[in-house]
Amino acid sequence: QKKTLTAKTATHFIDRVLQHKQYLQVSNMSFVWSAILKLCVYHKLPETYCDSIWNDIATSYKHHQTEVNRQCMAPLLLCYCYHDNYPAIMEILKWLDCDYNNAGLSEHEHGTAARPVVLDDKAYSAILSRLSRFEPRPDFDHAQCMRAIQYIALHLQQYNRLWNPSVTNTLIAAYGKHGDVKSAKRLFSAQRAKKTDTYTAMMGVLVQNGATAEALHLYRHMCEHAIERHYVTYLHAIKACDQHLKTLKFVHSNLNQDNYGTHPKIVTALISQYAHCNAVDDAVSTFQRGCRSIKDLSPFKAIIKCYLQNQRSTDVLQLYAEMKQHGIAMDDKLYLQVISACEAIQSLQVIAHDVQQSAYHADIKLLNALITKYGELDEVEHAQRIFDSIDLSRRDEITYTAMMNAYFQTKTYIPNRLQLYHEMKHLGMARSSPVFVVALKLCTNVDEIGDMHNDIERLGLMHDSNVRASLIFHYGRRGALNKAILIYRDTPIAQRTVFVCTSMMSAYKANERYSQAMDIYKELRQRNDIEMDK
């Protein structure tokens, strides 16, 4: 009755069972463990229950109290999958093989229970699915994850479980996630009756690993042999059309015939790929045909990104007005895009008013973006008003940096422009490289730059090339050329980026030392590890 139990009731019930398990009169505890584990999976209960049951299973198995079966082990593995406990999953899989040497038990000690347990397909698929979404961490790195996938593959092959397409497709995807394209291809080729999902899984692997031409070859094979394509197939095919506009239009015509032309994910992918191919008109027409009646925000974000990349801010604001008119709810990411499109104070004030009336009125990212944009438009009073409205406990490093940058960009006189930096220092806030790059712009004399320099060295930020470049530039601008030269000479050649070298050239130029500036230019020309910019 797991569906009728609340999580609290289920927890209470499991605690009582585990507390009094020695009094239970049952012939096979596997049934009890299985029921408990299914409750744990359904109600997303803590991992401690898995650990307790896993310990009981290992103990009873060693003392011949029960025969381990997949009815119990499958939900145990699913529980550990939910909690992303990869080491435990690997330990159980090895244990299930009844490897006498690894387990430290003799064949006699295993007795009749020493029969390998073959899990059901759902358990194998769940484990592989988790491993395909794996991100490296201290207790389980990429190499260990790859070994786990290979171990499961051998397990599946040994017990003849690769006949099931769902398991095979998940294994192909897991190989692809970790860059083992060769194993994925081998498994794909071994499948006799390939269907849509198998082709789609292989296409995903190829696209993910940069083999877009091979992915398109598979797609054409599906078209030529009239193999059904679903929307994931088309997503992979669209991503594979990297800078191939003609092929992209071919895929687009096919998916329209299969009635996927208005699927939000398809439309989003098409817009992004058309924009990548610099076919802005095609991106716009795709959006207009497929998204005017859709309230999914992904296509709107894609077309706005396309507009912004092509300096079409007016179109962004016009689309925003249409979205408001049709009652399409905005989210924080979309607001950020629209804010970045504002080139006039009037439009920015409209957006700011809408943000304040929305559920995101206290979102610190949006408030920081508004401060930044007001600063760019030289509306420091509006930026200051928003900054002051943010509670001191909610201001972060970006908030202060945005406001200080607004002070730098404005033509209005701001007394004590370094006040915010000193406030951050007094509050003990973290100050990373971007803070100092902006704060150095506000320094009006060599002494202020020197104090900032001391703070940078105290925080161990001199390794950052942007910070070094800023110090060189501002020392030179304020006439302290010798200090700028010392920093430049102390910078290892490998860390002398274009920004560092250009800052040194600017410092020499500000002090009318043109021949030394040309020496830096000649040094840059002789290096092969960097490219000079404008």
Side-chain angles (χ1 to χ4, degrees):
Q1 296 179 330
K2 63 183 178 184
K3 293 183 180 179
T4 60
L5 287 173
T6 63
K8 184 177 180 181
T9 309
T11 303
H12 177 69
F13 170 72
I14 293 171
D15 287 338
R16 291 204 39 148
V17 171
L18 293 178
Q19 184 180 356
H20 302 289
K21 60 192 172 188
Q22 65 269 32
Y23 303 114
L24 295 176
Q25 301 297 318
V26 292
S27 58
N28 190 343
M29 275 296 291
S30 292
F31 293 107
V32 179
W33 289 328
S34 177
I36 291 174
L37 289 164
K38 286 175 182 176
L39 279 173
C40 291
V41 172
Y42 187 81
H43 289 290
K44 301 181 175 67
L45 299 182
E47 191 178 354
T48 50
Y49 293 119
C50 303
D51 296 336
S52 176
I53 292 172
W54 173 222
N55 182 62
D56 287 347
I57 290 172
T59 304
S60 63
Y61 179 77
K62 191 170 182 178
H63 292 89
H64 316 292
Q65 292 175 358
T66 186
E67 179 179 341
V68 180
N69 58 50
R70 69 179 187 178
Q71 180 186 14
C72 172
M73 300 309 292
L76 177 60
L77 281 164
L78 290 173
C79 273
Y80 278 127
C81 279
Y82 170 75
H83 291 288
D84 289 333
N85 191 335
Y86 301 108
I89 292 168
M90 197 62 200
E91 182 186 355
I92 293 169
L93 286 171
K94 287 182 178 179
W95 190 82
L96 285 176
D97 267 345
C98 298
D99 187 326
Y100 305 140
N101 296 323
N102 287 345
L105 301 175
S106 67
E107 185 173 357
H108 173 72
E109 287 177 314
H110 276 80
T112 58
R115 290 184 294 178
V117 178
V118 183
L119 302 176
D120 58 22
D121 295 335
K122 182 180 178 182
Y124 284 124
S125 295
I127 298 165
L128 288 168
S129 180
R130 284 285 179 178
L131 290 172
S132 66
R133 298 196 298 270
F134 164 80
E135 295 295 337
R137 49 190 224 189
D139 63 337
F140 203 72
D141 59 19
H142 174 78
Q144 288 173 302
C145 184
M146 200 61 230
R147 282 199 296 272
I149 293 170
Q150 290 167 347
Y151 183 87
I152 294 169
L154 289 172
H155 204 261
L156 290 167
Q157 187 175 3
Q158 182 180 358
Y159 300 118
N160 195 27
R161 305 302 294 179
L162 289 175
W163 57 267
N164 188 326
S166 65
V167 176
T168 305
N169 298 340
T170 313
L171 181 55
I172 289 172
Y175 278 136
K177 168 68 177 178
H178 297 282
D180 191 356
V181 181
K182 187 180 292 185
S183 296
K185 285 181 178 180
R186 191 184 306 118
L187 185 57
F188 175 77
S189 300
Q191 304 307 303
R192 294 181 180 176
K194 301 182 185 73
K195 294 186 178 180
T196 302
D197 289 340
T198 308
Y199 278 101
T200 302
M202 193 63 228
M203 284 179 64
V205 169
L206 294 170
V207 171
Q208 195 172 24
N209 290 276
T212 54
E214 293 181 64
L216 287 174
H217 177 74
L218 272 186
Y219 173 75
R220 292 191 185 97
H221 177 84
M222 293 179 74
C223 295
E224 289 168 5
H225 292 80
I227 299 171
E228 183 184 359
R229 286 93 61 192
H230 53 52
Y231 85 93
V232 181
T233 314
Y234 281 117
L235 283 176
H236 293 324
I238 291 167
K239 290 177 183 176
C241 297
D242 187 32
Q243 296 290 349
H244 296 288
L245 184 58
K246 186 177 179 180
T247 309
L248 180 59
K249 290 187 176 182
F250 170 69
V251 174
H252 193 173
S253 65
N254 287 347
L255 65 87
N256 280 332
Q257 291 171 10
D258 288 341
N259 297 319
Y260 286 114
T262 57
H263 191 290
K265 289 184 179 180
I266 294 287
V267 175
T268 303
L270 281 170
I271 293 169
S272 299
Q273 199 59 266
Y274 275 129
H276 187 60
C277 295
N278 295 319
V280 181
D281 292 338
D282 289 308
V284 174
S285 63
T286 301
F287 173 77
Q288 290 173 341
R289 286 196 304 268
C291 283
R292 291 304 183 181
S293 60
I294 295 176
K295 293 194 176 182
D296 188 293
L297 290 179
S298 300
F300 289 91
K301 293 174 185 175
I303 195 63
I304 288 175
K305 183 179 179 181
C306 176
Y307 284 145
L308 291 173
Q309 288 173 342
N310 291 274
Q311 290 80 46
R312 293 173 61 166
S313 300
T314 306
D315 292 323
V316 174
L317 297 175
Q318 184 178 346
L319 178 60
Y320 173 73
E322 291 179 19
M323 291 176 71
K324 283 176 61 178
Q325 185 178 353
H326 289 87
I328 298 175
M330 306 279 285
D331 68 4
D332 53 341
K333 293 179 181 178
L334 223 157
Y335 274 125
L336 286 172
Q337 285 182 308
V338 177
I339 289 170
S340 67
C342 294
E343 296 178 346
I345 183 62
Q346 294 81 4
S347 56
L348 184 58
Q349 285 181 312
V350 171
I351 308 300
H353 177 267
D354 291 344
V355 169
Q356 290 167 359
Q357 299 298 315
S358 72
Y360 302 99
H361 64 277
D363 189 300
I364 193 65
K365 290 182 181 178
L366 287 178
L367 296 174
N368 291 345
L370 286 170
I371 293 171
T372 301
K373 182 54 71 170
Y374 275 126
E376 291 174 5
L377 298 176
D378 195 10
E379 294 289 342
V380 69
E381 290 183 5
H382 291 288
Q384 187 72 57
R385 196 175 299 121
I386 292 175
F387 179 85
D388 293 339
S389 71
I390 303 171
D391 189 78
L392 188 63
S393 61
R394 295 184 62 247
R395 294 176 188 169
D396 59 16
E397 183 182 318
I398 299 173
T399 312
Y400 281 94
T401 305
M403 195 63 235
M404 286 192 290
N405 208 33
Y407 289 161
F408 171 73
Q409 291 172 313
T410 186
K411 297 173 184 175
T412 307
Y413 172 71
I414 305 292
N416 196 11
R417 298 197 298 176
L418 284 172
Q419 178 183 352
L420 291 183
Y421 172 79
H422 294 306
E423 184 178 304
M424 290 182 73
K425 188 175 177 180
H426 175 72
L427 294 171
M429 292 183 67
R431 286 161 290 157
S432 62
S433 304
V435 173
F436 286 104
V437 170
V438 173
L440 283 166
K441 296 176 183 177
L442 302 177
C443 295
T444 56
N445 54 61
V446 175
D447 290 338
E448 289 179 343
I449 298 171
D451 292 339
M452 204 78 68
H453 190 175
N454 292 334
D455 289 346
I456 290 167
E457 289 190 329
R458 197 177 302 114
L459 293 171
L461 294 175
M462 281 301 290
H463 68 278
D464 190 289
S465 60
N466 291 333
V467 172
R468 281 179 177 269
S470 295
L471 282 169
I472 290 168
F473 177 82
H474 292 290
Y475 270 134
R477 192 164 65 101
R478 296 299 175 187
L481 183 60
N482 289 336
K483 293 187 177 183
I485 293 171
L486 281 175
I487 295 172
Y488 182 77
R489 288 178 178 172
D490 286 342
T491 305
I493 293 177
Q495 295 180 19
R496 291 180 186 176
T497 62
V498 172
F499 188 25
V500 171
C501 294
T502 307
S503 296
M504 193 64 242
M505 290 173 70
S506 297
Y508 279 130
K509 181 172 176 288
N511 290 271
E512 299 182 354
R513 304 275 288 272
Y514 301 115
S515 61
Q516 286 91 336
M518 284 302 298
D519 290 339
I520 302 293
Y521 171 69
K522 291 172 185 176
E523 177 190 329
L524 271 172
R525 285 191 64 187
Q526 292 172 356
R527 289 176 60 183
N528 297 321
D529 57 329
I530 59 175
E531 292 184 9
M532 291 189 287
D533 58 14
K534 290 191 288 186

